[in-house]
Amino acid sequence: MARQKRIALINDITGFGRCSVTVQLPLISAMRVQACPLPTAILSVHTGFPNHYLDDYTARMRPYMENWAENGLTFDALLTGFLGSEEQIEVVLECIRRFKGKDTEVIVDPVMGDNGKLYSSYTPELCAKMRQLLPHADVVTPNLTEACRLLGVPYPPGGLVSMPALEKMAADIAAMGPRDVIITGLHTGDRVRTYLYGNGRGHSFDNAKVGHDRSGSGDAFAAIVAAALVRGIPLAEGAQVAADFIGHCLLYAEELGLPWNYGLPFEAFMGELTVL
């Protein structure tokens, strides 16, 4: 019997707000892939709430990872998410050295900011450190803000960027190491665009814009793409499935009138992923 595929999730665990591992683990599991968290922090709620409790896990990440190695564990993919310090990026680099085999995919979701602004915990130095992951990544999934930060270029006025400019940005990121680049959440009028670049070529697809940005959308996108990738589903197909799934969740969130920081009500749509 073929071994079930397995993904290590290097991300925080947040109790409320539907983001990070709390979103990724059930979505990956629904796609019949085993999800194995390596926590970067434990939070009561995410930082989009007025106050939160945070237990930084940096000091425990190496012993945790070393025990995985002692037990001879291997992974088909490593998926990185929220990283709270330069030291955590060093731990991730060590994790890649330990667990990246010949066929292991490394997917980097460079969680740093959105809508032209960095998250409160990110400094310019930490953003620069994030670039050190790119030579080891097979796939990277930044939004436009994060793509600009990775490249050290200004965020475009109004978040609007032309297709030629997008292609150059993606090509410049790919030149830093990744095989494939997916730039997410690009706003074009009443549509949201996803731009994919690989093998020297780019293409995009659009989805209807629904409501407002919500916490955990990037985590959900990266999780579905990663699970699709290890299942042998083409990257473009996995990205389209992820974008469609998030669109359904956004529409339902609007119907429920959920605050943005309550995240995506993904539980109602997990059946869409089990049929893949």
Side-chain angles (χ1 to χ4, degrees):
M1 181 180 295
R3 179 177 66 77
Q4 185 181 16
K5 298 295 185 179
R6 186 183 300 146
I7 299 176
L9 307 178
I10 310 169
N11 207 343
D12 67 88
I13 297 175
T14 297
F16 190 90
R18 293 189 182 97
C19 67
S20 59
V21 167
T22 315
V23 169
Q24 292 180 330
L25 191 153
L27 298 185
I28 290 171
S29 299
M31 295 177 70
R32 302 189 298 282
V33 175
Q34 183 181 4
C36 308
L38 168 52
T40 60
I42 312 294
L43 290 89
S44 55
V45 297
H46 63 70
T47 57
F49 283 80
N51 53 74
H52 63 275
Y53 166 78
L54 185 150
D55 178 19
D56 187 292
Y57 215 66
T58 305
R60 291 170 285 258
M61 288 175 70
R62 280 191 175 89
Y64 189 115
M65 178 176 65
E66 288 165 1
N67 185 259
W68 273 359
E70 289 168 3
N71 281 286
L73 300 182
T74 60
F75 301 95
D76 299 284
L78 309 174
L79 171 57
T80 75
F82 177 80
L83 301 172
S85 66
E86 294 178 45
E87 185 179 353
Q88 287 192 348
I89 291 178
E90 287 294 333
V91 175
V92 171
L93 289 168
E94 185 176 333
C95 186
I96 292 170
R97 287 192 292 269
R98 282 177 176 266
F99 295 106
K100 181 172 172 57
K102 179 174 65 72
D103 299 317
T104 305
E105 298 279 351
V106 175
I107 303 99
V108 172
D109 182 15
V111 181
M112 294 187 288
D114 205 358
N115 296 314
K117 298 180 180 179
L118 292 177
Y119 297 134
S120 58
S121 60
Y122 270 79
T123 63
E125 293 76 19
L126 184 52
C127 292
K129 189 78 172 178
M130 184 71 75
R131 296 187 192 112
Q132 294 185 15
L133 296 179
L134 298 187
H136 307 278
D138 297 294
V139 181
V140 62
T141 62
N143 59 34
L144 181 58
T145 300
E146 292 155 351
C148 290
R149 287 289 175 170
L150 290 173
L151 293 170
V153 300
Y155 185 76
L160 300 177
V161 58
S162 67
M163 292 297 284
L166 266 178
E167 182 170 2
K168 183 178 188 316
M169 291 177 71
D172 289 347
I173 293 173
M176 299 165 76
R179 179 190 67 228
D180 294 288
V181 178
I182 307 176
I183 302 179
T184 64
L186 299 158
H187 297 285
T188 58
D190 61 352
R191 312 289 289 176
V192 178
R193 178 164 294 161
T194 304
Y195 185 84
L196 297 88
Y197 182 90
N199 297 317
R201 294 186 299 175
H203 68 280
S204 66
F205 62 83
D206 292 355
N207 289 78
K209 184 184 293 185
V210 179
H212 305 284
D213 294 336
R214 289 186 176 273
S215 61
S217 298
D219 294 308
F221 184 91
I224 294 170
V225 166
L229 199 60
V230 301
R231 287 273 312 279
I233 298 169
L235 188 66
E237 183 179 343
Q240 183 73 71
V241 167
D244 291 347
F245 179 85
I246 291 167
H248 299 158
C249 296
L250 288 169
L251 183 60
Y252 188 44
E254 292 299 309
E255 292 173 1
L256 294 174
L258 293 181
W260 76 270
N261 55 0
Y262 279 38
L264 300 170
F266 63 85
E267 300 87 352
F269 302 96
M270 289 178 65
E272 296 180 8
L273 302 178
T274 64
V275 299
L276 293 175

